[in-house]
Amino acid sequence: MSTINFWADDVEEAAAWYAEFLGLEPYFRRSGPDGRLAYAEFRIGDYQDELGIIDSRYRPPASATEPGGAVMHWHVDDLSATVERLLSLGAVEYQPVTPRGDAGFVTASVVDPFGNILGVMTNPHYLAILADSH
């Protein structure tokens, strides 16, 4: 995974919401022909993965408009605190904190205020890869 894109009717509002949640501002912003923000991108995490927010008017015509489909999970150090923070900022639970077997993998997901599914998890494999890379 290098980049994930989310849709929002109001990219400015979505970028502000994610900036508050992530504690950083987007590093890249692009306005559309009407001058409104059409795209904002954050670099986050240990490997500076990209989270892009695209104006919904550029959504492919056949794409789903309701939350669903694949869920991409970001590793977080404190899953419970992250889920609580997301909910306090107005996200809605999509899937509760759920252990996945007995190897330490635990997932959760929320729907952000803009209709996108944001997955978060505790991922021992990610931590092992991170430790090996440093």
Side-chain angles (χ1 to χ4, degrees):
M1 201 289 296
S2 65
T3 303
I4 187 165
N5 290 318
F6 286 169
W7 304 103
D9 291 338
D10 185 333
V11 177
E12 195 71 56
E13 182 182 349
W17 190 87
Y18 274 93
E20 182 174 353
F21 169 61
L22 297 169
L24 59 98
E25 292 297 319
Y27 81 95
F28 180 81
R29 299 166 70 87
R30 167 109 359 125
S31 295
D34 60 359
R36 286 185 14 210
L37 185 61
Y39 184 76
E41 191 169 276
F42 297 85
R43 286 191 178 152
I44 58 177
D46 299 303
Y47 297 104
Q48 296 294 287
D49 298 315
E50 296 171 342
L51 167 61
I53 302 170
I54 305 172
D55 191 305
S56 294
R57 62 189 157 161
Y58 300 111
R59 180 190 303 261
S63 66
T65 56
E66 298 295 319
V71 178
M72 199 286 295
H73 292 88
W74 299 90
H75 169 81
V76 296
D77 292 328
D78 187 336
L79 182 61
S80 294
T82 301
V83 171
E84 287 177 29
R85 173 123 168 88
L86 286 163
L87 297 174
S88 75
L89 291 170
V92 176
E93 183 179 83
Y94 187 74
Q95 185 176 48
V97 172
T98 305
R100 304 293 181 177
D102 58 4
F105 295 89
V106 183
T107 65
S109 55
V110 299
V111 177
D112 72 15
F114 315 97
N116 302 288
I117 300 172
L118 175 61
V120 289
M121 75 181 297
T122 300
N123 185 326
H125 174 73
Y126 177 86
L127 292 173
I129 296 298
L130 182 61
D132 286 346
S133 70
H134 291 12

